[in-house]
Amino acid sequence: MTGPAARYDAVVVGGGHNGLVAAAYLARAGWSVLVLERRPVLGGAAISQQVFEGVDVRLSAYSYLVSLLPDRIVTDLDLSVTLLDRAVASYTPLVRDGAHGGLLIEREEGPATAASFHALTGGDAEFAGWQRFYGRLATLAEDLAPTLTEPLLGEAELAGRLRDRELWQDLRERPLADVVAAHLSDDVVRGIALTDGLIGTFADVHAADGLAGRCFLYHLIGNGTGRWRVPAGGMGAVSGAIATAARAAGAELVTGATVTAIETRADGVTVHWTDDDGTARAADAGFAVSGAAPAVLDELLDAAPAPRPSGSQLKVNMVLARLPRLRSGDDPHRAFSGTFHVDEAASQIDAAYAQAAAGRLPDVIPFEVYCHSLTDPTIVGGTGLHTLTLFGLHTPAELFSAYPAGTRDEAVARVVGQLDAYLAEPLLDCLARDADGRPCLQAASPLDVEASLAMPGGHIFHGDLSWPLAAEPTEAGSWGVATVHPRVVAASSGGTVRGGAVSGLGGFAAAQHLLGR
Ligand SMILES: Cc1cc2nc3c(=O)[nH]c(=O)nc-3n(C[C@H](O)[C@H](O)[C@H](O)COP(=O)(O)OP(=O)(O)OC[C@H]3O[C@@H](n4cnc5c(N)ncnc54)[C@H](O)[C@@H]3O)c2cc1C
């Protein structure tokens, strides 16, 4: 590239997947588009990378499963993306009456799932409650999902689209723990349901503040099924396909370009950035589209900063020479192919929340693990290795502030010890080794996520999720992408009303807003 032209229809700040979706839609509509990404790679939190030196495995280093990306975006942009179903939805190792066992939930719940519930609870009522709850949620998902790609609906209009308004109202108004408890009785089973309200979200499931309810809802409604699928080739394949679509439509995608300021005028913007070699540059545009987090945008616009978000997850990437055997005797190839819940019973979630809210790293950290390579071996090539991703709950950024590395190491020691309690051989014995002989385990606290991805506070959604509707009557009919200036449009996970997670919905909404003007 010889250097960008002086004026564009739109300059997109940040080449995360949402910025790329906005760029692809706009470029396909004939707009001239420049995307500026500060990192050396595009994709933001949706990337694949080789994490361990000498180990030829490309991990989904941050986000790893896809549910909320609408088929419509895949079709509109002709994305070459393959999302694979996992045979197992989840497996929860447990000890009851001194004996090791596990609760298996298949994706298509069949006799093995029913038998597993029976073995855990001693009857059939809990499985019936589970099926009733998730049946109701499936209906809600079918009704809500199509609205995500429409302009925002007002409260009454949205409710009018829903067949199960009672469940919708319950999720909006009651503590998530109460909604779950109305359907499920067992501590372990309740916990499995509750975790969807706590992914990247530090919330008290007993509070009626809607925080956990919103997070729960987004985890259940993707594409009208709520199914979480494995991106073939890793998460980088998803962002890569969107980048390819944007480039093919004529968008210019520049990496190593850190935007330093956005100047606004009534008829457009000037975007200033610095190249990797320190060269300061600027371009005029009709609009700036922010694919960066709202807190980043506030700085670029020199606007009054909103309250700072705080992430709450522990992320651990691992490569294994072999899958560990389980003390339950269950097949690890089956158990690890779904979401493997560890110490996520409802009572354990409560205890961890209480400790974290009091400023302590939880003694027992609820977390989940999943193995990408069991569903999609392409990311490990022909090495025969396996990947393992661990996502911990209730580990807010503040806990790491005083001693970042020491607290992270302590958190890792705890989760490894907790997992080992269910394994017939220590996890560390199963890890592959990198070129220097070190075990392939890399951990990231919210502070690490912030440092590498510019996600303020390390919050995986850039901030707490919003209900997918107009918050004010005046917002109804809009795309929910407004910022402090009409020439600056939000596209990111946290900047848009429905943009959270790997969905492209933020970028989609930004583009629809601009193209519909
Ligand atoms: C550890 C982790 C696990 C997750 N797991 C999942 C999962 O399994 N499934 C799921 O759906 N979601 C998951 N998420 C959430 C999901 O990845 C994010 O919500 C989503 O990727 C956000 O996309 P985005 O494009 O809006 O923003 P981002 O991915 O944050 O992209 C913003 C981009 O802007 C760039 N940028 C910032 N400032 C500037 C600047 N000044 N100049 C130029 N560029 C700038 C950043 O470098 C970045 O590339 C996870 C996130 C994390 C961190």
Side-chain angles (χ1 to χ4, degrees):
M1 160 171 177
T2 54
R7 187 178 168 89
Y8 293 83
D9 293 326
V11 172
V12 179
V13 178
H17 86 287
N18 268 318
L20 295 170
V21 166
Y25 272 99
L26 293 175
R28 284 169 80 102
W31 286 41
S32 58
V33 180
L34 172 68
V35 178
L36 300 170
E37 167 55 45
R38 61 185 265 282
R39 302 188 75 227
V41 290
L42 296 163
I47 52 164
S48 300
Q49 68 185 67
Q50 182 180 338
V51 174
F52 304 106
E53 213 183 313
V55 181
D56 191 13
V57 172
R58 285 181 63 73
L59 293 164
S60 299
Y62 299 97
S63 54
Y64 45 98
L65 290 171
V66 179
S67 174
L68 285 148
L69 176 68
D71 292 342
R72 166 158 180 202
I73 294 181
V74 175
T75 309
D76 281 355
L77 299 179
D78 293 321
L79 300 182
S80 173
V81 166
T82 305
L83 301 175
L84 304 167
D85 273 313
R86 307 180 291 174
V88 169
S90 75
Y91 177 89
T92 304
L94 40 90
V95 184
R96 283 268 157 112
D97 304 325
H100 280 268
L103 176 64
L104 173 78
I105 303 180
E106 302 151 293
R107 188 173 61 77
E108 301 290 346
E109 291 160 5
T113 303
S116 197
F117 268 91
H118 192 97
L120 174 68
T121 61
D124 297 324
E126 191 71 358
F127 185 43
W130 175 272
Q131 291 201 299
R132 180 169 165 270
F133 188 32
Y134 281 88
R136 294 185 72 190
L137 287 164
T139 303
L140 198 56
E142 276 175 28
D143 294 344
L144 275 175
T147 71
L148 299 178
T149 47
E150 294 175 24
L152 289 171
L153 298 176
E155 178 99 48
E157 205 184 340
L158 182 64
R161 298 272 195 103
L162 305 177
R163 284 168 284 172
D164 195 338
R165 269 174 240 166
E166 190 188 342
L167 180 58
W168 167 248
Q169 284 308 332
D170 281 350
L171 286 171
R172 301 244 306 143
E173 289 163 13
R174 296 176 63 194
L176 181 61
D178 290 1
V179 181
V180 168
H183 297 83
L184 303 168
S185 307
D186 186 87
D187 191 34
V188 168
V189 180
R190 281 182 181 174
I192 293 171
L194 288 171
T195 56
D196 277 326
L198 300 172
I199 299 296
T201 301
F202 188 54
D204 177 0
V205 294
H206 298 282
D209 56 11
L211 200 52
R214 297 198 295 267
C215 181
F216 183 79
L217 188 75
Y218 277 90
H219 280 84
L220 272 303
I221 62 173
N223 257 319
T225 66
R227 237 158 58 211
W228 285 88
R229 290 182 289 171
V230 177
M235 201 54 100
V238 176
S239 293
I242 305 170
T244 300
R247 231 183 246 116
E252 291 176 41
L253 313 183
V254 182
T255 55
T258 302
V259 176
T260 50
I262 303 173
E263 275 178 71
T264 52
R265 293 180 303 280
D267 64 346
V269 297
T270 302
V271 178
H272 298 264
W273 75 96
T274 309
D275 279 344
D276 262 354
D277 63 5
T279 310
R281 295 182 187 274
D284 290 339
F287 294 91
V289 176
S290 175
V296 174
L297 181 62
D298 286 344
E299 282 174 30
L300 297 177
L301 289 170
D302 207 12
R308 204 176 150 66
S310 171
S312 63
Q313 74 291 335
L314 174 74
K315 173 83 201 277
V316 185
N317 288 318
M318 291 171 268
V319 176
L320 276 66
R322 64 177 187 284
L323 289 177
R325 285 176 287 113
L326 296 170
R327 292 185 72 177
S328 65
D330 288 328
D331 181 359
H333 293 84
R334 200 157 155 73
F336 284 107
S337 67
T339 300
F340 188 101
H341 295 277
V342 177
D343 297 337
E344 292 192 324
S347 55
Q348 291 170 310
I349 287 172
D350 287 346
Y353 179 80
Q355 290 182 333
R360 285 175 49 199
L361 191 66
D363 294 331
V364 174
I365 299 174
F367 67 92
E368 47 205 58
V369 178
Y370 127 89
C371 174
H372 180 114
S373 50
L374 283 170
T375 306
D376 169 33
T378 64
I379 67 161
V380 293
T383 58
L385 299 169
H386 276 298
T387 63
L388 217 54
T389 291
L390 184 152
F391 193 96
L393 309 182
H394 288 343
T395 48
E398 293 72 28
L399 302 183
F400 297 85
S401 309
Y403 306 104
T407 311
R408 183 184 56 216
D409 290 349
E410 177 56 33
V412 170
R414 286 185 197 181
V415 293
V416 169
Q418 289 171 236
L419 184 54
D420 276 351
Y422 300 107
L423 303 181
E425 52 187 332
L427 175 71
L428 295 183
D429 287 0
C430 300
L431 292 176
R433 302 263 160 182
D434 71 9
D436 295 322
R438 287 183 300 240
C440 292
L441 183 150
Q442 177 215 48
S445 73
L447 301 186
D448 300 313
V449 168
E450 172 163 28
S452 50
L453 296 181
M455 288 180 132
H459 198 301
I460 71 168
F461 306 125
H462 300 167
D464 295 325
L465 296 165
S466 309
W467 294 112
L469 77 169
E472 308 289 339
T474 50
E475 209 183 14
S478 81
W479 285 97
V481 297
T483 71
V484 293
H485 196 277
R487 290 274 161 178
V488 182
V489 172
S492 69
S493 174
T496 57
V497 173
R498 298 166 294 188
V502 178
S503 67
L505 283 167
F508 173 83
Q512 298 308 311
H513 166 84
L514 289 174
L515 296 174
R517 286 177 79 251

